């Protein structure tokens, strides 16, 4: 089971993690929470109903990693939406930007809440582990927790991949990520990126019918 998820009764999954792996996963999940930002709970004295219907931002995040986690819904300049081809190109692009802004204004806060909840689920399940004498533990997830882990692992890989400026060509077994020398300062983060991908793939395969 070490490093590989196995199915458990009831639609869950389990994997054995050592002490270092637990620490890395928890640290990355906490950093993801910090990147996404605090919750949107109403402040003291604020009307909870008003907070519920509060609008979100209309512009994409300036941080490239956040922009990858919360992309525009309707492409943008160079996008493939059919409306971009109607009239002048700049008119089509402007329409896409306006549609994306409108969509983002009413959905991004909920999306952030969902990603935050998934990362919190990762932290909480790791914190609930009972360590073995060697410091490792067996992580056992329910079906719902598996889905939160899958989404959060994907968010972590998107974030790290953006920071590393990873392209599709870099990720194959013959790609440049596998050929980095140990002296490259990116090597630890690259190893984490590849490991998260293997963990995610293992969990997906375990949950497949």
């Amino acid at each position: 089971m070490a490093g590989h998820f196995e199915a458990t009764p009831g639609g869950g999954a389990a994997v054995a993690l050592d002490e270092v792996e637990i620490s890395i996963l928890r640290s990355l999940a906490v950093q993801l929470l910090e990147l996404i930002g605090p919750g949107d709970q109403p402040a003291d004295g604020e009307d909870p109903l008003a907070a519920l219907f509060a609008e979100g931002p209309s512009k994409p995040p300036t941080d490239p990693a956040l922009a990858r986690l919360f992309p525009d819904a309707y492409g943008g300049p160079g996008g493939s939406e059919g409306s971009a081809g109607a009239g002048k190109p700049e008119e089509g692009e402007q329409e896409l930007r306006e549609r994306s802004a409108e969509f983002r204004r009413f959905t991004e806060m909920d999306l952030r809440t969902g990603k935050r909840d998934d990362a919190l689920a990762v932290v909480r399940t790791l914190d609930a582990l009972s360590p073995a004498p060697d410091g490792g533990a067996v992580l056992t997830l329910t079906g719902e927790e598996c889905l939160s882990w899958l989404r959060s692992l994907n968010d972590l890989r998107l974030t790290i991949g953006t920071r590393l400026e990873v392209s599709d060509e870099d990720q194959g077994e013959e790609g440049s990520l596998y050929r980095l020398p140990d002296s490259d300062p990116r090597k630890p983060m690259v190893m984490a990126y590849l490991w998260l991908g293997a963990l995610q793939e293992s969990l997906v395969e375990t949950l497949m019918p």
Side-chain angles (χ1 to χ4, degrees):
M1 183 189 294
H4 188 88
F5 276 98
E6 294 183 3
T8 60
V15 63
L17 300 171
D18 63 33
E19 189 174 9
V20 173
E21 291 171 334
I22 294 171
S23 177
I24 291 174
L25 282 167
R26 191 186 190 284
S27 176
L28 290 174
V30 169
Q31 291 179 58
L32 180 61
L33 283 168
E34 294 173 348
L35 176 66
I36 294 172
D40 52 3
Q41 296 296 321
D44 291 341
E46 183 180 358
D47 181 0
L49 189 60
L52 179 63
F53 291 98
E55 295 183 2
S58 59
K59 295 182 179 179
T62 56
D63 185 310
L66 281 175
R68 187 69 180 87
L69 292 177
F70 305 101
D72 275 338
Y74 299 101
S80 58
E81 283 280 329
S83 60
K88 297 181 180 179
E90 59 270 19
E91 291 176 353
E93 293 171 359
Q94 177 63 27
E95 180 184 350
L96 288 179
R97 283 193 292 268
E98 291 174 355
R99 291 170 62 188
S100 291
E102 186 76 1
F103 186 85
R104 182 181 297 277
R105 183 158 46 250
F106 294 106
T107 61
E108 184 168 312
M109 291 179 70
D110 284 342
L111 290 174
R112 283 181 180 259
T113 297
K115 291 181 182 298
R116 190 181 301 112
D117 289 345
D118 289 335
L120 280 171
V122 171
V123 173
R124 288 167 178 162
T125 50
L126 292 173
D127 286 348
L129 291 176
S130 299
D134 62 0
V138 174
L139 173 70
T140 302
L141 304 173
T142 65
E144 184 176 348
E145 289 169 342
C146 285
L147 297 179
S148 289
W149 267 74
L150 275 178
R151 291 188 293 261
S152 203
L153 286 171
N154 187 62
D155 287 343
L156 286 171
R157 292 190 74 248
L158 287 175
T159 300
I160 295 174
T162 302
R163 296 288 190 239
L164 293 171
E165 298 182 346
V166 171
S167 67
D168 292 339
E169 292 74 18
D170 295 327
Q171 301 185 53
E173 291 188 5
E174 302 301 323
S176 60
L177 291 183
Y178 289 86
R179 301 195 301 270
L180 283 180
D182 292 340
S183 59
D184 193 306
R186 298 172 297 168
K187 188 65 176 283
M189 192 58 70
V190 166
M191 297 303 295
Y193 176 80
L194 296 174
W195 173 57
L196 290 171
L199 203 60
Q200 182 183 21
E201 182 179 359
S202 170
L203 184 53
V204 169
E205 291 174 350
T206 300
L207 297 178
M208 290 179 63

